[in-house]
Amino acid sequence: MSVLVLVLVGLGVLAVIGVVVGVMDAAQSRAWRRVAAERRRTWEVRHGGGYHDSWSDDDSD
């Protein structure tokens, strides 16, 4: 009986951790998108802008 309670408590703790991580991730997603946009603008300035498919550079056939 005590092993079952221990397993259920463990699953409950994992569920609570999952909810907390999900809520924190949702709260921070706007900030991460802003950081990604700034990094992309910086990269485009350094590399001449635009999208370049890196796979097409490997075509040597």
Side-chain angles (χ1 to χ4, degrees):
M1 179 72 174
S2 63
V3 173
L4 180 61
V5 171
L6 181 64
V7 168
L8 291 176
V9 168
L11 290 174
V13 169
L14 287 176
V16 169
I17 290 172
V19 169
V20 169
V21 168
V23 168
M24 291 177 61
D25 183 49
Q28 293 294 323
S29 64
R30 182 180 298 159
W32 283 117
R33 281 193 299 269
R34 188 176 57 245
V35 168
E38 291 172 2
R39 288 180 179 175
R40 180 172 180 94
R41 281 191 298 271
T42 302
W43 185 90
E44 287 176 347
V45 166
R46 279 192 313 221
H47 294 90
Y51 174 76
H52 302 288
D53 187 5
S54 63
W55 290 104
S56 65
D57 296 340
D58 294 337
D59 292 340
S60 59
D61 294 346

